């Protein structure tokens, strides 16, 4: 058997033995970003994947773009708008805790 396959299996088995974590989720499903005017004029569209570190109070502590839409204006607008949204905090071992979560946002005309 290949040594790297064994190592990967052991690593994945070890991580599942640690804290059971449930990531935060967007509390307001209607939370939307305003389409940037320049992006509208240029007919820019795309999907952006963002990561949010959500505190135990449901507020965003840190945010970053994981995968760009291909347009800086769209990425910035989505990150800014969703960072202001309320999240349902995540849990670690059943207790409310600060966790990372990913959110995909689609810009379509």
């Amino acid at each position: 058997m290949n040594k790297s396959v064994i190592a990967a299996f052991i690593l994945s088995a070890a991580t599942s033995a640690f804290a059971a974590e449930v990531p935060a989720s967007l509390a307001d499903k209607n939370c939307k970003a305003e389409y940037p005017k320049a992006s509208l004029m240029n007919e820019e569209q795309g999907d952006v994947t963002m990561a949010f570190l959500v505190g135990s109070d449901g507020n965003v502590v840190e945010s970053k773009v994981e995968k760009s839409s291909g347009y800086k204006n769209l990425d910035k607008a989505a990150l800014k708008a969703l960072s202001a949204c309320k999240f349902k905090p995540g849990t670690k071992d059943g207790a409310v805790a600060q966790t990372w979560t990913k959110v995909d946002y689609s810009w379509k005309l």
Side-chain angles (χ1 to χ4, degrees):
M1 204 179 224
N2 185 331
K3 286 182 185 178
S4 62
V5 172
I6 294 169
F9 174 73
I10 292 169
L11 179 62
S12 66
T15 45
S16 64
F18 288 110
E21 184 174 307
V22 177
S25 58
L26 205 51
D28 181 5
K29 300 293 182 197
N30 296 318
C31 189
K32 296 198 188 302
E34 190 174 322
Y35 226 107
K37 287 184 174 117
S39 296
L40 274 172
M41 288 174 30
N42 294 321
E43 298 181 356
E44 296 171 350
Q45 300 183 85
D47 300 324
V48 58
T49 300
M50 300 160 287
F52 297 96
L53 179 59
V54 179
S56 55
D57 61 356
N59 291 316
V60 173
V61 176
E62 188 180 330
S63 61
K64 60 186 173 184
V65 172
E66 295 254 310
K67 182 175 170 252
S68 175
S69 65
Y71 300 99
K72 202 174 266 192
N73 283 342
L74 295 181
D75 295 347
K76 281 175 55 178
L79 200 60
K80 182 180 178 185
L82 271 70
S83 289
C85 294
K86 193 70 173 172
F87 283 77
K88 178 182 173 201
T91 60
K92 285 184 185 172
D93 289 330
V96 174
Q98 180 172 284
T99 59
W100 281 97
T101 190
K102 289 189 182 182
V103 177
D104 294 314
Y105 195 86
S106 293
W107 295 98
K108 303 229 185 294
L109 294 173

